[in-house]
């Protein structure tokens, strides 16, 4: 077993044994060193966004003191859900390695596939003009960071 995937699996095992959430563990590596780790803490924190990848991204960002994880690799026990995949992209993580497939998570009772298949939108535009004023203010700022 790959050393980093082994660490991700150990995170998952620690999380399920502690009752924190599902069997999802993750580590983030930069230049051969683990700089972030996390496991699913949805139950522990009563927060549906506390997936292993998200927790590891938080940890890695704190470790490096940045929101930009360029040059990092992520190892996770299961294929990232759409939320985590988005966070991985926003963090600029270059490579993702995963253990289990979406069909494997489905087999143990998780409903990840529905998020890939969902075609009905739950959103609609509201008060765009007012929100555009905030965007325009941001666009006019001199020292803004585009991210």
């Amino acid at each position: 077993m790959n050393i980093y995937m082994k660490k991700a699996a150990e995170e998952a095992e620690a999380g399920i044994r502690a009752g924190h959430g599902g069997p999802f563990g993750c580590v983030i590596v930069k230049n051969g060193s683990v700089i972030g780790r996390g496991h699913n803490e949805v139950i522990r924190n009563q927060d549906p966004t506390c997936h292993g990848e998200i927790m590891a991204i938080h940890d890695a960002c704190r470790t490096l003191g940045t929101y930009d994880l360029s040059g990092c690799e992520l190892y996770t026990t299961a294929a990232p859900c759409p939320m985590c995949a988005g966070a991985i992209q926003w963090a600029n993580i270059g490579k993702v390695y995963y253990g289990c497939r979406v069909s494997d998570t489905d087999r143990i009772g998780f409903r990840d596939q529905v998020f890939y298949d969902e075609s009905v939108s739950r959103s609609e535009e509201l008060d765009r003009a007012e929100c555009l004023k905030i965007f325009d203010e941001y666009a006019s700022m001199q020292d803004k960071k585009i991210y």
Side-chain angles (χ1 to χ4, degrees), residues 13-130:
E13 289 170 344
I16 63 170
R17 291 176 184 156
H20 292 173
F24 309 106
C26 181
V27 296
I28 299 174
V29 177
K30 185 166 188 173
N31 299 325
S33 295
V34 174
I35 54 129
R37 58 181 63 236
H39 59 263
N40 185 292
E41 296 188 39
V42 168
I43 293 170
R44 177 183 189 198
N45 293 328
Q46 298 296 295
D47 182 342
T49 67
C50 290
H51 290 194
E53 296 92 338
I54 301 294
M55 304 309 284
I57 289 170
H58 288 175
D59 191 39
C61 289
R62 279 190 301 270
T63 297
L64 296 181
T66 183
Y67 56 84
D68 185 357
L69 299 179
S70 294
C72 292
E73 298 176 333
L74 183 145
Y75 295 79
T76 182
T77 56
C81 73
M83 175 184 70
C84 293
I88 290 164
Q89 285 186 289
W90 278 111
N92 295 317
I93 294 170
K95 184 72 175 178
V96 174
Y97 298 95
Y98 64 89
C100 295
R101 299 174 181 169
V102 174
S103 59
D104 299 321
T105 59
D106 183 57
R107 183 179 60 79
I108 62 168
F110 288 84
R111 58 192 173 106
D112 289 21
Q113 189 63 49
V114 70
F115 298 105
Y116 294 97
D117 294 342
E118 181 117 355
S119 60
V120 178
S121 175
R122 297 180 188 191
S123 62
E124 68 179 81
E125 186 178 293
L126 180 66
D127 295 327
R128 180 172 179 256
E130 292 303 313

